[in-house]
Amino acid sequence: MKQARPLQWFRDFEPLTSPIPSTGLDSSRTESVQLGILCSKCRHVQRWIQDNWEKATTADERFKREFDHHASGERLEKSYQDGCHLCTHIWHSLIETNTHLFLKQRLTKRKSRLTKIRNGSAVKVTIQKFTGVRKQNNRDVVFEFKAAVQLSATRLIGDLLYIKQDKNMASPVTTAAPAVTTSRKRKRGPPSHSDQQLPAAIPIETCTRSASSFALARRWINQCVSSHDRCRQASANALPKRLLQVTRDAPDIHLSLVDTADLPTSTTTPVQYACLSYCWGAGTAAFKLTQATSAALRAGIPAAALPRTIRDAALATLELGLSLLWIDSLCIVQDSPADWAAEAASMCDVYRGSFVTLAATAAADSSAGMFSARDPLMYWPCPLTSVPGPGPGVVASVYPHSHSRGSDAFAQWPLHARGWVVQERILPRRTLGFGPLLAWECWETSRDEFDFERGDPKQPSLCKRFYETVVDGVGGQAPGELSRFAARRVLDLWASIVMEFTGCQLTVPSDRCAALAGLVAAVGRRTGWVNVAGLWETGLVPQLLWKRAYDNQGPRRTGLRPYWSWAAIEGGVYFPAATRSRLELVADVAVAGEPDLVGVAYDRTATERLPALRVSCVPFKLDAGSGAPEGWPSHDDGDAFKIEADTTGEGDAELFLPLAEGGSELYGIAVSPSSKYPGAYERVGYASSFIWENRDEVRKMRPPVRGEDLQKTFIVV
């Protein structure tokens, strides 16, 4: 009896628990599915589309066409289990349950939903078209596709799917076909002319530890090396201090720690190594490099003795034609603070200098591994008809939910919820991600196994922006010679990095700055700027105008100072003034030097200078009752003043320090006297004032926020 297909959703990860075969890859034991095979009900839908395509797409008016489909939800599930490609998309559109929820919550909701579907009757599908053609995920959306199951008194409506045109569908990215193919029983009538034009159904393997998976990975790498000028630039970065030598000694793989100073070097053939980016996992008992284990690791240990993710990374390294691998837990001495500090500081060079970074994107800890079982029909668009026209190979397909919404293959996985991984995503020139699907990102492109090309050209990935702004340097300008435009781009990129980073999780909250050390080093090297507590001395004011994100409820202090840095609080932050192209400063802000700190009580014998700011501005005392600045227009007058505390339980703000003005908004910070450093003030919140009507009249009512005779100077810590 054929095994039932897994009830996965596109974020679900089914790790392979079987041992790595002696040959290294799963071949004959790996099952595959045929793409593009339809049941009789779906072929009826397909035939209507084929017969009416030209008329439906050229007509200006909108239309809606409903089809009777399977007689019950139970029969829909059987067709899905039998391998109908379109029924697979219909089935998954019906069981979709808020993929942002934790897995346990999703499974609970899915169980309830599955019961309703199986007990439902009269499945119907609807194809509708609106006037005009709109874009979604860089492709023309031609029709919208919805399915519904009739329940006892209501209908269960599936999630929206799109029918889109794709010229790439005629030449799918998957290559070699495996020996075993899942059988498909279906009824079909005689083939029509349109049938003959469709690409042949192709097999896709049901796990990522397969020959075709690595054939695809090697093809991506070869394309990048041969045709991407940005990515194939020779790296001038020094090698890591240590690497792992990976060798295949049948029936196992061995890893040996080597000092890179002992490796043979060549000016024509640089040393190429892979990096591993992965989640360690809380409480995972893993073999690590320590002073006690160093000798054993140098002598060589079998991969079978290591956590599964590291074992899989060793296999992937060999299959990609490499023999050297860098893994933080095995290449940095974990019980040596001095070694850890030195190697963490060089993280920028380690990742930027790697030939490729292997990302275990979907594994929550090091025991889960990199490779996954998966249901390919969930991900691959279902081809319905060839599109007539001068260009060959254009096919209209129903896109699965995971791609109908333009979901980024890199954005939703556990690895990328970790703060330390942000720089591991941005710094490498090439990243190969392993989850239920393979994903690729480099300095020129982002793509995944089932949707060819990802990303919006108008909103390039942080990896691509990092290359254009930092590696290439906005036209190659020398450090310290950046134009105003170039400096603005660097600061905009940094704000995006901080927003991405602070939305991630950190096991140790005080790592807020350490986890970005590699990116700080890269930006500092390009610009010549100095970074203080996660902010750059150049362009300080826009960086100070951060506030906690709307979903960051009840954040606490991280234990880091100064309080004016976003690193001082847990959770996500964003920069409300970052999108303002014209931001007029109303304050003079600089990093405080020793002469500025006269009168501030702090330990002058400490090795590090007090991280403080000198802020010269027009201050406003805050009314203890209303919380608004004294003498400020009221909300009824058209001015909305608001203070948003940085953390819960924050003390009452005493002063509003305005820093910049943009359009109808005035931005600043709320401060109170510091209890730790008498004579100084510390930030307790973000403050803003927005004129929502009668702008000119309200401006006249406001006290002036400019004027040297009104300014006072404060030390803010």
Side-chain angles (χ1 to χ4, degrees):
M1 181 178 176
K2 186 177 67 176
Q3 185 178 2
R5 290 167 65 190
L7 289 175
Q8 289 178 305
W9 186 241
F10 76 97
R11 272 192 69 181
D12 293 354
F13 178 58
E14 298 287 338
L16 287 182
T17 56
S18 59
I20 296 174
S22 59
T23 57
L25 298 176
D26 294 288
S27 53
S28 61
R29 297 187 306 150
T30 303
E31 197 178 50
S32 70
V33 297
Q34 291 290 125
L35 305 177
I37 292 178
L38 304 181
C39 67
S40 59
K41 298 294 184 181
C42 289
R43 284 194 59 77
H44 176 62
V45 176
Q46 181 191 44
R47 286 182 183 281
W48 184 89
I49 291 176
Q50 291 172 343
D51 294 340
N52 294 275
W53 179 265
E54 187 171 359
K55 180 175 67 176
T57 53
T58 55
D60 290 334
E61 68 274 7
R62 58 171 65 182
F63 77 89
K64 184 176 182 179
R65 177 74 160 84
E66 188 174 75
F67 299 86
D68 291 327
H69 203 248
H70 287 288
S72 67
E74 189 177 19
R75 290 193 180 183
L76 172 66
E77 182 179 16
K78 184 179 185 306
S79 181
Y80 151 69
Q81 289 288 353
D82 284 342
C84 174
H85 199 160
L86 186 53
C87 283
T88 297
H89 292 336
I90 293 172
W91 177 257
H92 283 286
S93 76
L94 290 165
I95 68 168
E96 193 274 326
T97 53
N98 296 325
T99 56
H100 68 279
L101 298 175
F102 291 110
L103 179 60
K104 187 175 181 180
Q105 294 174 296
R106 291 205 308 276
L107 292 177
T108 301
K109 288 182 176 291
R110 186 181 305 162
K111 184 177 179 181
S112 170
R113 199 153 179 141
L114 285 172
T115 301
K116 293 180 180 179
I117 296 171
R118 287 166 177 158
N119 293 334
S121 62
V123 181
K124 293 183 181 294
V125 296
T126 303
I127 297 175
Q128 56 189 1
K129 175 196 172 185
F130 298 98
T131 54
V133 176
R134 59 193 179 90
K135 291 280 187 181
Q136 194 273 339
N137 195 26
N138 300 324
R139 294 192 181 92
D140 289 337
V141 175
V142 185
F143 301 120
E144 293 181 343
F145 188 100
K146 269 196 174 183
V149 175
Q150 184 66 43
L151 305 178
S152 57
T154 60
R155 271 182 147 192
L156 181 63
I157 308 295
D159 217 60
L160 187 66
L161 305 175
Y162 295 132
I163 299 178
K164 298 186 282 187
Q165 298 178 178
D166 194 332
K167 64 182 179 181
N168 291 322
M169 278 299 297
S171 53
V173 295
T174 305
T175 54
V180 180
T181 301
T182 305
S183 62
R184 302 285 180 243
K185 293 182 179 180
R186 69 191 190 282
K187 296 179 181 179
R188 59 179 297 176
S192 66
H193 176 68
S194 297
D195 291 335
Q196 304 297 334
Q197 297 175 355
L198 281 172
I202 60 172
I204 301 286
E205 287 155 336
T206 56
C207 90
T208 55
R209 191 176 65 194
S210 63
S212 69
S213 294
F214 279 101
L216 173 60
R218 288 190 292 268
R219 193 161 107 186
W220 282 342
I221 290 174
N222 291 338
Q223 288 173 347
C224 183
V225 171
S226 63
S227 62
H228 294 176
D229 291 336
R230 296 174 173 180
C231 306
R232 66 168 177 244
Q233 290 180 359
S235 174
N237 299 322
L239 289 171
K241 186 175 182 179
R242 308 174 190 93
L243 286 168
L244 297 164
Q245 184 84 48
V246 186
T247 56
R248 196 191 301 272
D249 298 323
D252 205 351
I253 295 172
H254 281 73
L255 292 89
S256 305
L257 187 68
V258 295
D259 293 321
T260 53
D262 298 332
L263 293 173
T265 58
S266 169
T267 56
T268 58
T269 307
V271 174
Q272 294 181 338
Y273 62 92
C275 280
L276 175 63
S277 177
Y278 69 113
C279 292
W280 283 35
T284 302
F287 185 95
K288 303 169 189 161
L289 174 61
T290 63
Q291 297 175 67
T293 61
S294 177
L297 193 52
R298 288 183 180 278
I301 60 173
L306 297 170
R308 183 174 294 275
T309 300
I310 294 177
R311 199 183 321 162
D312 292 348
L315 171 64
T317 300
L318 294 175
E319 292 299 326
L320 296 177
L322 302 173
S323 60
L324 294 170
L325 176 62
W326 186 89
I327 302 175
D328 53 4
S329 61
L330 298 179
C331 294
I332 301 175
V333 183
Q334 299 298 311
D335 58 352
S336 169
D339 192 70
W340 193 93
E343 294 302 295
S346 65
M347 202 76 73
C348 168
D349 292 335
V350 172
Y351 282 99
R352 279 185 59 184
S354 67
F355 181 73
V356 64
T357 290
L358 309 173
T361 54
D365 57 58
S366 61
S367 65
M370 289 170 51
F371 304 125
S372 172
R374 52 44 178 325
D375 181 0
L377 295 188
M378 289 168 47
Y379 297 93
W380 194 277
C382 176
L384 293 180
T385 185
S386 293
V387 178
V394 179
V395 176
S397 307
V398 174
Y399 269 68
H401 176 275
S402 57
H403 289 353
S404 283
R405 287 194 171 172
S407 303
D408 182 357
F410 277 79
Q412 300 293 328
W413 307 113
L415 177 66
H416 296 143
R418 307 301 303 172
W420 275 97
V421 176
V422 171
Q423 64 181 6
E424 297 173 18
R425 293 180 60 189
I426 296 174
L427 288 169
R429 59 184 130 175
R430 303 181 188 96
T431 298
L432 179 62
F434 288 84
L437 67 164
L438 300 186
W440 173 266
E441 189 168 20
C442 66
W443 286 342
E444 288 208 7
T445 187
S446 299
R447 64 199 315 171
D448 68 51
E449 187 176 0
F450 298 113
D451 200 17
F452 314 116
E453 197 83 21
R454 307 298 305 190
D456 184 347
K458 296 180 181 178
Q459 295 180 331
S461 67
L462 285 178
C463 177
K464 190 173 183 179
R465 287 178 62 192
F466 176 79
Y467 169 83
E468 294 171 345
T469 307
V470 177
V471 179
D472 185 53
V474 194
Q477 294 174 323
E481 299 179 4
L482 272 68
S483 66
R484 179 180 295 181
F485 169 75
R488 172 64 187 269
R489 285 192 64 179
V490 173
L491 291 174
D492 286 348
L493 171 67
W494 189 252
S496 298
I497 289 173
V498 170
M499 288 188 286
E500 177 79 13
F501 170 74
T502 57
C504 297
Q505 303 166 9
L506 280 174
T507 304
V508 181
S510 59
D511 281 347
R512 286 274 261 201
C513 287
L516 288 181
L519 289 170
V520 167
V523 175
R525 190 179 302 164
R526 164 54 62 189
T527 61
W529 296 348
V530 175
N531 191 279
V532 181
L535 284 72
W536 299 99
E537 286 194 17
T538 300
L540 261 176
V541 169
Q543 300 173 77
L544 290 170
L545 297 174
W546 57 266
K547 61 184 287 189
R548 58 189 173 98
Y550 290 113
D551 59 353
N552 184 11
Q553 301 298 320
R556 296 175 298 179
R557 293 288 181 188
T558 59
L560 297 175
R561 282 186 178 268
Y563 281 1
W564 45 261
S565 169
W566 48 263
I569 70 166
E570 296 178 355
V573 304
Y574 77 103
F575 299 84
T579 57
R580 292 285 187 188
S581 58
R582 295 185 178 275
L583 198 64
E584 298 181 34
L585 304 188
V586 298
D588 177 52
V589 182
V591 175
E594 187 65 33
D596 300 311
L597 299 176
V598 174
V600 177
Y602 76 100
D603 184 5
R604 284 173 167 76
T605 64
T607 56
E608 294 186 5
R609 187 180 65 181
L610 174 66
L613 296 178
R614 184 192 70 245
V615 180
S616 297
C617 67
V618 179
F620 293 91
K621 185 173 179 60
L622 296 171
D623 185 274
S626 66
E630 294 179 352
W632 209 256
S634 69
H635 185 79
D636 293 337
D637 294 322
D639 191 294
F641 182 84
K642 187 177 183 181
I643 293 178
E644 296 170 73
D646 292 337
T647 63
T648 54
E650 200 77 73
D652 291 336
E654 183 173 298
L655 295 176
F656 165 50
L657 305 184
L659 302 182
E661 196 168 20
S664 298
E665 282 202 76
L666 183 66
Y667 307 95
I669 56 176
V671 299
S672 290
S674 173
S675 58
K676 182 176 177 62
Y677 303 110
Y681 286 79
E682 58 191 26
R683 170 179 163 144
V684 295
Y686 168 83
S688 63
S689 180
F690 176 69
I691 303 175
W692 54 276
E693 66 177 12
N694 305 322
R695 180 185 300 185
D696 294 337
E697 289 79 358
V698 173
R699 284 189 189 279
K700 293 177 183 178
M701 297 170 63
R702 273 184 179 175
V705 296
R706 293 178 175 84
E708 291 186 7
D709 56 326
L710 300 174
Q711 283 190 349
K712 294 184 180 180
T713 298
F714 301 87
I715 298 300
V716 182
V717 295

